[in-house]
Amino acid sequence: MVTIIDRTLTTFNTAGMTSRDLNHFCDLLFTCGVTKIELTPDLVARLNFPETAAGLKKWLLGRNFFLTQLTPIAADSMRCSSKEPKPLWQLEANDLLEKNIPVSKINPLQHRKIRITGLDDLMTRDYPAIFKTLLSSGVETLDFCPGNQKHCATAIAMEWLHAGGQSISCGFTNHHNFPPLEEVLMSLSLSLPDNFTGDLSVLSELRSLYEKLSGQPVSKMKAIIGEDIFKVESGIHVDGVLKNPRTYEPFNPQTVGSQREIVLGKHSGRQSILYKLNQPDLSESAAHSILKQIKKRCSQLGRNLSDLELRTLASEVQNDKQTEVYC
């Protein structure tokens, strides 16, 4: 099974984070498919682990930890073996040696636990051969955290897993130089489903909590988790997505805890009007008149129209047309 390590909590200032928020954030990460969460010693202290973890913390002397989630079976066996209740999470030492080195120098590091970083330009090189060298190097544990300076980290990460790599390190969204976690998890669920057991429907909640904790807004058009990526305005797009969602959506919005939204704006078409007003028998001339007014109003306001504004505008246009007929 593939190991997914999340490094998000090591990338921003968590001084103001409460223990409750920290626990909730970790819980959501595990739920969406993360195997291990990398933590700083300060964050470990705020997770309120029992005193039995004190020896581990002292031994590491400032190095980071991994937080792992126990399976229900393992958790039950631990409870049976001790009178004290045990947490469903446990700490382990992060003893990976982080190296940004040429692949040719990997052999002297045999029988070690290594995290390879960097290699941002790997997609422009003979990466299958490089992966083959890494995987045959004899390194005991080989984690890969490709850099994202060239915006190819997700593709590099997935090629690594397809080549036989078993561990990848990521970070949620893109405020760091790691592969974006949500992109790797979605790619994994689609291309290697047998290696994926997470629930991606919590990604929307995770995004909101991330913004609260980090103080950094996630782009509304961020792949997989952006708030606006399932908003459809263009007439031809609305027509296509209503007939067959897969025309424009590679996955169901509900998969990531989101939903499709037809919005009304300067680029809207007749199908948007029919869908929003639920009037399939609306005449061509009436739809044209309503669309004309929508585009005019959106230009004036500099934004899309709400459903209520549409119904009000449609009533005004239809009343005007009835008045014209009576006259």
Side-chain angles (χ1 to χ4, degrees):
M1 187 64 72
V2 170
T3 296
I4 304 293
I5 299 173
D6 181 80
R7 307 182 69 186
T8 308
L9 290 170
T10 66
T11 65
F12 59 84
N13 185 359
T14 58
M17 187 185 299
T18 66
S19 295
R20 181 176 180 179
D21 283 340
L22 173 60
N23 276 268
H24 188 37
F25 193 81
C26 292
D27 192 42
L28 290 175
L29 286 174
F30 283 131
T31 300
C32 71
V34 168
T35 315
K36 301 176 186 235
I37 300 172
E38 190 167 346
L39 300 174
T40 63
D42 175 62
L43 290 172
V44 169
R46 277 189 276 153
L47 275 172
N48 297 322
F49 266 86
E51 287 302 316
T52 51
L56 177 62
K57 288 189 280 187
K58 183 178 179 181
W59 174 68
L60 280 175
L61 296 175
R63 289 171 59 191
N64 287 358
F65 300 80
F66 283 138
L67 187 69
T68 56
Q69 188 174 41
L70 300 179
T71 63
I73 295 176
D76 288 341
S77 64
M78 285 183 70
R79 289 193 187 98
C80 293
S81 62
S82 172
K83 295 180 181 179
E84 304 234 355
K86 297 288 183 181
L88 288 177
W89 298 343
Q90 66 179 5
L91 286 174
E92 62 179 85
N94 174 9
D95 46 6
L96 292 174
L97 296 177
E98 198 161 308
K99 298 289 183 181
N100 188 347
I101 58 174
V103 175
S104 59
K105 294 185 179 180
I106 194 73
N107 284 329
L109 298 171
Q110 289 179 345
H111 311 300
R112 306 290 292 275
K113 296 181 179 181
I114 307 294
R115 170 183 279 155
I116 298 292
T117 61
L119 299 179
D120 305 62
D121 63 343
L122 199 57
M123 295 301 286
T124 66
R125 296 156 61 187
D126 185 5
Y127 62 86
I130 292 173
F131 288 156
K132 184 176 180 181
T133 300
L134 288 172
L135 292 169
S136 61
S137 64
V139 173
E140 179 183 338
T141 300
L142 192 57
D143 177 63
F144 191 27
C145 185
N148 202 27
Q149 298 278 358
K150 308 291 185 184
H151 307 288
C152 293
T154 300
I156 295 172
M158 291 310 300
E159 289 295 339
W160 166 250
L161 296 179
H162 280 286
Q166 294 298 305
S167 181
I168 199 82
S169 284
C170 315
F172 190 65
T173 190
N174 55 1
H175 297 133
H176 44 67
N177 192 34
F178 310 144
L181 172 69
E182 65 281 359
E183 295 179 15
V184 171
L185 291 178
M186 177 57 75
S187 300
L188 197 60
S189 72
L190 294 175
S191 64
L192 294 170
D194 291 342
N195 288 290
F196 182 75
T197 58
D199 177 7
L200 298 180
S201 67
V202 301
L203 286 177
S204 180
E205 184 180 358
L206 186 59
R207 180 199 66 227
S208 298
L209 185 56
Y210 173 87
E211 290 180 322
K212 172 188 173 183
L213 299 181
S214 69
Q216 301 180 93
V218 175
S219 169
K220 293 183 181 296
M221 297 305 295
K222 173 68 185 71
I224 314 298
I225 58 173
E227 278 189 90
D228 290 353
I229 62 172
F230 293 108
K231 287 184 177 180
V232 191
E233 178 185 332
S234 170
I236 192 171
H237 288 179
V238 171
D239 185 54
V241 84
L242 290 177
K243 289 176 179 175
N244 181 5
R246 292 190 66 83
T247 305
Y248 293 104
E249 295 172 354
F251 53 88
N252 190 314
Q254 294 179 348
T255 303
V256 293
S258 188
Q259 60 182 8
R260 182 187 312 120
E261 183 181 354
I262 308 296
V263 297
L264 297 165
K266 294 184 291 184
H267 306 291
S268 293
R270 182 170 178 270
Q271 285 300 324
S272 300
I273 305 300
L274 300 180
Y275 173 80
K276 286 286 191 178
L277 293 176
N278 195 23
Q279 295 181 17
D281 56 346
L282 188 70
S283 70
E284 188 78 32
S285 61
H288 178 75
S289 298
I290 293 171
L291 268 177
K292 185 177 180 180
Q293 290 302 313
I294 286 175
K295 294 180 180 184
K296 179 181 178 181
R297 191 72 59 85
C298 287
S299 295
Q300 292 172 340
L301 298 173
R303 60 171 174 80
N304 295 328
L305 293 189
S306 67
D307 290 357
L308 177 59
E309 289 171 321
L310 167 64
R311 288 192 292 271
T312 302
L313 187 148
S315 297
E316 291 172 356
V317 171
Q318 290 172 314
N319 288 337
D320 288 345
K321 281 194 165 293
Q322 289 176 355
T323 303
E324 289 175 10
V325 171
Y326 291 140
C327 291

